[in-house]
Amino acid sequence: MNGTRKKSLLRAAVILCVAVAAAAALFVVGKWEKMEVPSDTPDTDDRPEFYYDGAWYTQNTALETLLIAGIDKYSDQLAETLELGKELDANINTQQSDFLMLLVLDKARNTCTVLPLNRDTMTQINALGLAGESIGSFTGQLALAHTYGSGGLDSGYNTVQAVSDLLYGVQIDHFITVTMDAVAVLNDLAGGVTVLVEDDFSNVTDQLPQGQEVHLTGNLALTYVRSRRSVADQTNISRMARQKTYLEALYEKLKAQPAETFSTKALLELSPYLVSDCSAAALAELYQEILDSELTVLDAPEGESVRGEKYMEFYPDEQKLQRLAVDLLFIPAEASAG
């Protein structure tokens, strides 16, 4: 990876840390979602074992993990879905995860490693019944895991389970989901973002002329980072590259803001768009640990994007994904036993 791209990825991770901090503000403004935590959450004492290249590995429990997912619906749609679902006693959620990233904290080494995940990744998805119980599983896009459940905490847990299954059973400690309208809010709080439009958006909007610099405000920022159909090669890989470009520019604008006053305002403004399984105190502590760590951002897992019967499908290179999981999340079982 060249230095410029790595710098862009690093900055993207810092932006996500801002979103994590916003979740902590939910407690302050009284908007923390009151939902019962599922009783079948992972037992952190039961570490998964993973056989790779002639040896057994076990999860490195010295690490702390956080999954961040950007949801493809607006906050008012989420609120309506949750409310109507409660009235009907049914799951009517249609939300998907457009953006996923796993943060891995090593407190002993004071590092935070960030792994982007392609939302089109084909993996095992847990199907949930009306009462939230598992009724089977199927192979589908990673993005669909959030669709099963009410759209709140249960959908977050199901996404965690799908990522865990993708990464050979690794247990994920925390998650945060954020609706897509948070993009416009954060963008405008920073004063808007200027980008060079490299893709052809002519079939989407005439406000993003190819080859020109455009100052993004409001929902135009969301259009820039979210559009996929009729833009470039229409794959999520292409869109992820554009998102990194945007996040780099946004990061520069955020750095220019007065840190204390801006962060307080941002926390209050972003609070309606977030759901997390953590308490406010736990998220605040986690956020500080991320800020204090040395950040390293990995490339997304390699693989192949193909057009399925209806949608794009991404198939990771299994051998490389196994090696990545071993290097990032597991340790030799013998070392753990010793």
Side-chain angles (χ1 to χ4, degrees), residues 263-289:
S263 62
T264 300
K265 184 177 181 180
L267 294 176
L268 294 173
E269 292 286 344
L270 291 171
S271 62
Y273 310 103
L274 304 166
V275 172
S276 177
D277 65 322
C278 289
S279 68
L283 271 176
E285 181 179 352
L286 189 60
Y287 171 62
Q288 191 59 52
E289 289 170 356

Side-chain angles (χ1 to χ4, degrees), residues 147-200:
T147 306
Y148 287 86
S150 66
L153 284 172
D154 49 355
S155 294
Y157 279 114
N158 207 46
T159 302
V160 164
Q161 184 62 54
V163 173
S164 173
D165 290 340
L166 174 66
L167 298 176
Y168 311 103
V170 67
Q171 294 171 358
I172 297 171
D173 299 307
H174 317 291
F175 75 83
I176 177 174
T177 64
V178 56
T179 55
M180 65 180 181
D181 40 352
V183 173
V185 174
L186 185 58
N187 181 87
D188 289 359
L189 282 172
V193 171
T194 300
V195 296
L196 174 62
V197 180
E198 298 184 6
D199 294 326
D200 182 2

Side-chain angles (χ1 to χ4, degrees), residues 245-267:
T245 299
Y246 170 80
L247 289 171
E248 180 176 16
L250 175 60
Y251 178 70
E252 294 298 332
K253 293 298 296 286
L254 292 175
K255 285 202 306 182
Q257 304 295 325
E260 186 172 347
T261 56
F262 180 81
S263 62
T264 300
K265 184 177 181 180
L267 294 176

Side-chain angles (χ1 to χ4, degrees), residues 23-43:
L26 295 178
F27 178 82
V28 178
V29 298
K31 294 184 179 180
W32 194 265
E33 182 180 14
K34 295 179 174 62
M35 293 184 62
E36 183 177 351
V37 176
S39 59
D40 58 348
T41 52
D43 181 357

Side-chain angles (χ1 to χ4, degrees), residues 202-261:
S202 58
N203 289 326
V204 178
T205 178
D206 59 3
Q207 294 182 282
L208 293 169
Q210 187 175 18
Q212 297 186 28
E213 285 193 343
V214 175
H215 187 69
L216 304 174
T217 58
N219 284 329
L220 189 60
L222 180 60
T223 299
Y224 179 80
V225 300
R226 185 171 182 249
S227 297
R228 177 162 70 155
R229 294 188 178 92
S230 302
V231 179
D233 62 6
Q234 303 189 54
T235 68
N236 193 50
I237 294 175
S238 173
R239 179 170 61 177
M240 289 173 72
R242 192 185 331 124
Q243 289 169 346
K244 293 169 189 174
T245 299
Y246 170 80
L247 289 171
E248 180 176 16
L250 175 60
Y251 178 70
E252 294 298 332
K253 293 298 296 286
L254 292 175
K255 285 202 306 182
Q257 304 295 325
E260 186 172 347
T261 56

